Amino acid sequence: MSNDWIVEMKDIEKSFNRIPVLKKVTLQVKKGEIHALLGENGAGKSTLMNILGGVHLADKGFIMVDGEKVAITTPKESQQLGISFIHQELNVVGDLRIYENMFLGSELRNKLGILKVEEMCRQTKDILAKLGVRLDPKEYVRNLDTSYKQLIEIARALLHRSRIIIMDEPTTALAEHEVERLFSFMTKLRETGVSIIYISHKLKEIKAICDRYTVLRDGEWVATGSLKETELDQITNMMVGRSVSEERFVQEHSFGDTILEVKDLGCEGEFRDINFVVRRGEIVGFTGLAGDGRTELIETLFGYRRKSTGEIKVNGKQVKINHPKHALKAGLGLVPKDRKENAIIKDLNVIHNLTLSSMSHFEQAGFIQEKREKSRFSYYRDKLNIKLHDPTVTIDKLSGGNQQKVVIAKWLEVGPDVLIFDNPTQGIDVGAKREVYQHIIDLAAEGKAIIILSSEAPEIMKVCHYIHVMYQGEITASINGDKATEDLIMRYATGSKREGGKGGKYRNAATAKE
Amino acid sequence: MQPQQKNRQERSILKDKLSWLWSEYSVIIAFLIIFIAASFMSPRFLDINNQMNILMQVSIIGIIALGMTVVMLSGGIDLSVGSVLALVGVIAVIALNATGSIIAAVLTAFIVGSFAGLLNGLMVAKGRIASFIATLGMMAAARSIALYIANGGSISGEVSGFSAIANSEFLMIDYPIIIFIIMTVFVYLLMHKTRFGRYVYAIGSNEKAAMLSGIRVDRVKIGVYSLTGLLVSVAATIETSRLNSISSSSSGVSYELDAIAAVIIGGTRMTGGRGKIIGTFFGVLILGILNNMMNLMNVSPHLQGFVKGLIIIVAVVFQKRE
Ligand SMILES: Nc1ncnc2c1ncn2[C@@H]1O[C@H](COP(=O)(O)OP(=O)(O)OP(=O)(O)O)[C@@H](O)[C@H]1O
Ligand SMILES: [Mg+2]
């Protein structure tokens, strides 16, 4: 009828192992719009997109592209219809070079069938430049930071000159300025008539860039509308079925003894002169921009990297941490960022992922007590509100946000004195975000010391008692939580409060190439 | 309309069930098919003596394949098993003849085997050498030492009673079969019911995440290769005892290939993290039946390798489809 819709998905149904995940879902996307697909963790957003992308087959319903009914059974067919898919989980091949990843499966060849390497490099460079990154196309992808891997994934989708681009949480690993560049690029694409389906849990982003939205809840269509006419509050309400408060959490300030003390910690080429303490009941935040060295700092503290100077004291005693196991023994726990690479074991089932770091809690005479594991899992499932049907499936079958909750539960089970969260709400929906922070605050109230790393200043301002801002491997400011403002944090994080900000020598390898 | 829909639903339930059955138990199903096919093709196949014969013949490779499974689950590979078997056999026989004690010989075998495995493990975990390269080196070195010690020939045991290990039976079942089954149960428990097994799977699946979970990845890897060495020494003891002698040049040659074949047929993924001990057990049996059938049907021994190769490739193709 109407040719307004570039994509129409009608009455889509899908079950996994007889459990319905999508129930009569309808999605209509206009030509040249950015359409937000919203919903809680496990609502079925990725599954719906996987059907459009040819990864899964719908049980029922049909898809129309450009007014014509189409059958999409493989990712290839989807691509041929002009659909590009940026998956929620990274899909780059570490052992290939950047340009090889970009052209994987669609390499450019000349008449003799020989690869046109230079041409591919040139195009790669161009498109990356448009996204505001300068990287050597011949660099191996495994040497890159996660945010660059993500950008390559995005660039790959843009390369194919698609009419429809699906972006499933593309910004979880990106720094603020990278997000801005991506957005301006998306706006340009929209002007040329490309449609984008955009999935994100960051409602601010949604408001900034999207035109219309569709909300799913528990696999059912709830609403579709224009973002200009809808308040974010309303949308949250539709997603979660209640409203989520945005205020600063209330906390009383009664700290116990110092648990963790870090003195003059340094690591050649990454960071230096790091000093801080964390007390019982205290929540300390670290923030900054990409390349500020905070993740490296925490990896060093946790024994994944070697420190070159400084000392670490736990409960007043100096400890030697050369391996994460030592850190664990000393009473530290780490929920790392970039779940797929650092946190989940995708071939183990959900329960086994939960218990991996605390096997001794489940052993009797050397044998694992699976019953005990199971009952422990049920406990966390209720406590963290983890949504899944069967905990004996491998963890990669869970929706992204629920995977994250399992990782958090894994460290709660270990029960360390100091818990470090690196980007803890990566891929978590608004309701669950609030829940996670509430859990973190409860943990602090129980007397644990908490460290939170995040690039989103507004988020940590809400929960932290104390915030350290990092810039190029150094702490440039330490601010009291209730005195912090976004503006102040930004000024320190960009180094604008220092002389000769450029040319600091502690930056990560990829940016150093600029 | 209503009954039709119900029908369709039932069919899809059945399809779900079948595909689940296939993905979980494809090796066992393949085994049953091959077993039934074999019993039709040759009347002698089902003979209890022939059955025992098959089990007896696979027991040595079977024990090695158990170790290989563990290594491959951890994401590595061990090419040295055949050579180490020869080396262990040679040294064990020398110890046997020197001390006159069977226990001393068996203990020596265990020590030499686990030590070779330990070296493999150290090279892989501490030296960060790719397992393929490290164990290839061990393969050449162990064979060479065995040849040197035995002067290129065979050595025979001179203590009566040693050959009883592999040539006795209990309730009509030969000892090697019993040992193979005990080892299977042992490795099964280790891999599926203990922390060690969990860690091996984790490392094979995502080494960085395993390390950040506080797992001593290097120690587990050393354990994995040592365990394989130990299992190889059990196999070596049986091999040596069976003929009461070991050949430094021909014993254990290409055992690594048979073991890897059994593991792959059993459904373990080459890159680690996924696979089951039970799968390997049936993979070993499938290889055994195929060998046996080819003998019963007088297929030229020169062609037997071809058939085996074909089976491995088919097995891998099936795996890929999943
Ligand atoms: N391959 C699969 N096998 C079994 N269940 C699956 C599979 N893929 C997804 N599911 C289930 O389908 C439901 C919807 O998952 P989906 O990944 O679509 O959620 P989502 O809306 O993308 O959530 P998130 O925001 O957390 O990414 C979840 O309950 C998940 O466990
Ligand atoms: Mg998703």
Side-chain angles (χ1 to χ4, degrees), chain A residues 377-514:
Chain A
F377 176 76
S378 318
Y379 170 76
Y380 286 111
R381 179 187 192 157
D382 296 342
K383 182 167 171 165
L384 297 187
N385 193 13
I386 302 172
K387 280 182 212 137
L388 84 180
H389 301 288
D390 176 7
T392 60
V393 297
T394 51
I395 192 165
D396 57 343
K397 302 272 173 13
L398 259 58
S399 80
N402 284 307
Q403 290 179 12
Q404 183 73 0
K405 289 186 188 172
V406 174
V407 177
I408 292 174
K410 164 174 151 182
W411 284 101
L412 293 185
E413 178 60 27
V414 177
D417 288 334
V418 183
L419 248 174
I420 307 165
F421 295 87
D422 194 352
N423 211 356
T425 54
Q426 194 169 19
I428 287 195
D429 69 52
V430 271
K433 226 174 238 180
R434 186 92 196 162
E435 279 171 37
V436 165
Y437 279 125
Q438 192 57 56
H439 286 304
I440 290 178
I441 285 162
D442 291 348
L443 284 170
E446 280 166 30
K448 306 236 184 260
I450 309 282
I451 299 175
I452 301 177
L453 279 62
S454 174
S455 55
E456 285 170 63
E459 235 179 67
I460 61 173
M461 272 164 47
K462 261 186 261 164
V463 286
C464 291
H465 299 124
Y466 213 68
I467 299 171
H468 299 285
V469 186
M470 287 184 71
Y471 173 67
Q472 294 193 353
E474 284 176 87
I475 294 181
T476 48
S478 303
I479 315 169
N480 243 329
D482 41 16
K483 299 212 176 67
T485 62
E486 244 184 290
D487 198 49
L488 188 62
I489 290 177
M490 261 340 256
R491 280 225 298 282
Y492 285 110
T494 52
S496 66
K497 279 215 147 186
R498 317 173 85 214
E499 298 295 300
K502 268 227 145 188
K505 50 181 174 162
Y506 293 96
R507 302 154 76 193
N508 73 40
T511 39
K513 287 222 170 56
E514 285 189 3

Side-chain angles (χ1 to χ4, degrees), chain A residues 128-183:
Chain A
L128 284 174
K130 278 185 200 158
L131 285 172
V133 239
R134 255 171 293 160
L135 290 170
D136 178 7
K138 290 189 176 154
E139 175 82 43
Y140 280 104
V141 166
R142 64 167 176 281
N143 299 334
L144 301 178
D145 244 32
T146 313
S147 79
Y148 288 97
K149 290 182 189 162
Q150 181 74 62
L151 285 169
I152 286 166
E153 185 117 351
I154 293 170
R156 182 165 61 191
L158 303 179
L159 191 73
H160 292 302
R161 303 222 161 75
S162 319
R163 296 184 288 167
I164 303 147
I165 302 177
I166 305 168
M167 300 189 174
D168 196 348
E169 300 193 35
T171 58
T172 49
L174 297 188
E176 206 126 326
H177 64 281
E178 291 164 333
V179 175
E180 267 161 36
R181 290 227 178 85
L182 175 65
F183 281 4

Side-chain angles (χ1 to χ4, degrees), chain B residues 28-49:
Chain B
I28 300 180
I29 295 167
F31 167 77
L32 287 176
I33 293 170
I34 292 174
F35 188 89
I36 293 166
S39 55
F40 277 112
M41 276 152 78
S42 166
R44 268 162 55 215
F45 174 75
L46 281 179
D47 190 280
I48 187 76
N49 280 329

Side-chain angles (χ1 to χ4, degrees), chain A residues 16-17 21 40-47 56 88 169 201 387 389 397-402 427:
Chain A
F16 289 111
N17 307 317
V21 171
E40 282 183 289
N41 294 132
K45 305 178 295 292
S46 299
T47 307
H56 292 317
Q88 184 167 12
E169 300 193 35
H201 290 296
K387 280 182 212 137
H389 301 288
K397 302 272 173 13
L398 259 58
S399 80
N402 284 307

Side-chain angles (χ1 to χ4, degrees), chain A residues 113-138:
Chain A
I114 296 168
L115 291 175
K116 294 197 270 186
V117 173
E118 287 314 315
E119 173 65 14
M120 289 194 280
C121 285
R122 198 185 55 74
Q123 290 192 19
T124 303
K125 227 180 181 144
D126 281 358
I127 201 126
L128 284 174
K130 278 185 200 158
L131 285 172
V133 239
R134 255 171 293 160
L135 290 170
D136 178 7
K138 290 189 176 154

Side-chain angles (χ1 to χ4, degrees), chain B residues 82-199:
Chain B
S83 300
V84 170
L85 179 130
L87 177 65
V88 169
V90 166
I91 296 179
V93 174
I94 289 177
L96 177 76
N97 294 345
T99 62
S101 151
I102 296 172
I103 294 187
V106 173
L107 279 180
T108 309
F110 288 177
I111 291 168
V112 174
S114 347
F115 183 69
L118 178 74
L119 285 183
N120 278 334
L122 286 172
M123 284 191 284
V124 172
K126 296 286 184 195
R128 307 209 168 272
I129 305 172
S131 59
F132 187 92
I133 307 294
T135 59
L136 190 69
M138 177 60 77
M139 176 181 179
R143 176 69 65 187
S144 155
I145 296 172
L147 286 167
Y148 177 75
I149 295 176
N151 237 332
S154 306
I155 333 184
S156 302
E158 288 156 11
V159 177
S160 65
F162 181 66
S163 60
I165 297 177
N167 295 304
S168 316
E169 42 188 58
F170 176 75
L171 298 176
M172 304 242 309
I173 306 172
D174 300 286
Y175 275 12
I177 301 176
I178 297 175
I179 297 174
F180 174 38
I181 291 172
I182 291 175
M183 287 298 139
T184 306
V185 172
F186 166 70
V187 178
Y188 170 83
L189 290 176
L190 190 69
M191 291 307 290
H192 296 299
K193 303 287 171 204
T194 74
R195 164 202 299 237
F196 174 79
R198 216 40 94 64
Y199 288 175

